[in-house]
Amino acid sequence: DVKVTQSSRYLVKRTGEKVFLECVQDMDHENMFWYRQDPGLGLRLIYFSYDVKMKEKGDIPEGYSVSREKKERFSLILESASTNQTSMYLCASSLADPLSGNTIYFGEGSWLTVV
Amino acid sequence: GQNIDQPTEMTATEGAIVQINCTYQTSGFNGLFWYQQHAGEAPTFLSYNVLDGLEEKGRFSSFLSRSKGYSYLLLKELQMKDSASYLCAAVKAAGNKLTFGGGTRVLVKP
């Protein structure tokens, strides 16, 4: 079974802190994604990566950055956390071509509260 | 651009049928996913439609009409465990990224 593991399930951070959310997948997937999920807004794409050291902005990249130094690991970085970044963050991965029916697999989610 | 709409909430009775509609206006559209998400858990894959028509998988079926920009997920013989959010997501031909609707919360009552 594909496994996407997010390092922290629940975090509480202070405004202005630097926050790292780590994600590791064990299926040699090319694509990795970071989404945030908020009530009434659904999942919104922050950043995605289709290869090591490659990244592309999603729909809401402001206030975030990412790092993909190894194929299996995709990190989301909040340089200076703010209260409006309190949310549930979901990491996902997929093979290079989801059009063939390969699905996107999600991690369990990381609940971040910024106080 | 991409705009995906689905109802916010639906309620149905155990044993009944519920149809969750999803409309999309996605440039370069190339396929539509449905995911199920229980509260506090990760979304899990239900179906993927590329061609027009109905795809059936046990109690769950998904339909797509590309010309109408419309899909639905049909849940039959509802069970209490089907209470969850159902997420519709469109994929573009290029970029390999999914855009999600806001999700439909389905509540199954005894």
Side-chain angles (χ1 to χ4, degrees):
Chain A
D1 279 352
V2 174
K3 194 161 178 67
V4 180
T5 304
Q6 295 182 227
S7 57
S8 305
R9 287 291 325 257
Y10 303 97
L11 304 95
V12 180
K13 298 290 182 181
R14 295 193 180 278
T15 300
E17 274 193 82
K18 191 168 185 175
V19 182
F20 291 88
L21 298 179
E22 305 284 347
C23 175
V24 177
Q25 49 94 5
D26 65 358
M27 283 300 290
D28 203 34
H29 283 170
E30 290 83 3
N31 297 336
M32 296 189 76
F33 309 83
W34 274 106
Y35 288 87
R36 63 178 281 178
Q37 186 173 28
D38 301 288
L41 297 176
L43 273 75
R44 292 180 292 166
L45 182 64
I46 305 171
Y47 266 97
F48 68 103
S49 169
Y50 50 88
D51 202 352
V52 176
K53 296 192 185 295
M54 305 298 285
K55 61 184 180 183
E56 286 199 22
K57 292 180 179 180
D59 300 316
I60 52 163
E62 296 78 18
Y64 303 94
S65 61
V66 289
S67 172
R68 186 124 181 246
E69 295 296 318
K70 293 184 179 181
K71 191 175 185 179
E72 67 271 17
R73 188 179 297 270
F74 192 37
S75 303
L76 180 69
I77 303 154
L78 287 66
E79 294 289 342
S80 177
S82 63
T83 54
N84 63 12
Q85 291 177 310
T86 292
S87 186
M88 203 264 272
Y89 291 87
L90 278 165
C91 175
S93 73
S94 75
L95 290 169
D97 178 18
L99 304 182
S100 64
N102 294 306
T103 72
I104 287 184
Y105 297 88
F106 287 89
E108 293 291 315
S110 297
W111 294 86
L112 172 66
T113 301
V114 183
V115 298
Chain B
Q2 300 183 57
N3 191 22
I4 301 173
D5 293 310
Q6 52 182 128
T8 305
E9 196 168 291
M10 302 180 75
T11 301
T13 306
E14 196 175 11
I17 297 173
V18 70
Q19 177 174 317
I20 306 168
N21 296 324
C22 172
T23 58
Y24 62 89
Q25 297 162 13
T26 302
S27 57
F29 169 84
N30 211 71
L32 194 124
F33 286 86
W34 283 96
Y35 280 82
Q36 180 191 59
Q37 186 179 26
H38 286 99
E41 297 182 11
T44 54
F45 171 78
L46 288 178
S47 67
Y48 175 59
N49 293 67
V50 177
L51 302 175
D52 284 359
L54 185 69
E55 298 222 359
E56 298 187 73
K57 276 188 187 179
R59 295 189 299 113
F60 292 3
S61 304
S62 57
F63 171 83
L64 178 67
S65 169
R66 297 175 68 109
S67 61
K68 294 181 180 177
Y70 168 68
S71 173
Y72 67 72
L73 180 70
L74 194 69
L75 286 63
K76 294 180 276 191
E77 300 169 22
L78 278 172
Q79 301 176 8
M80 299 300 291
K81 67 179 182 180
D82 297 331
S83 291
S85 287
Y86 292 85
L87 311 176
C88 166
V91 62
K92 282 183 147 181
N96 297 332
K97 60 175 184 171
L98 263 60
T99 299
F100 285 85
T104 300
R105 190 165 60 195
V106 172
L107 177 63
V108 181
K109 293 186 172 180

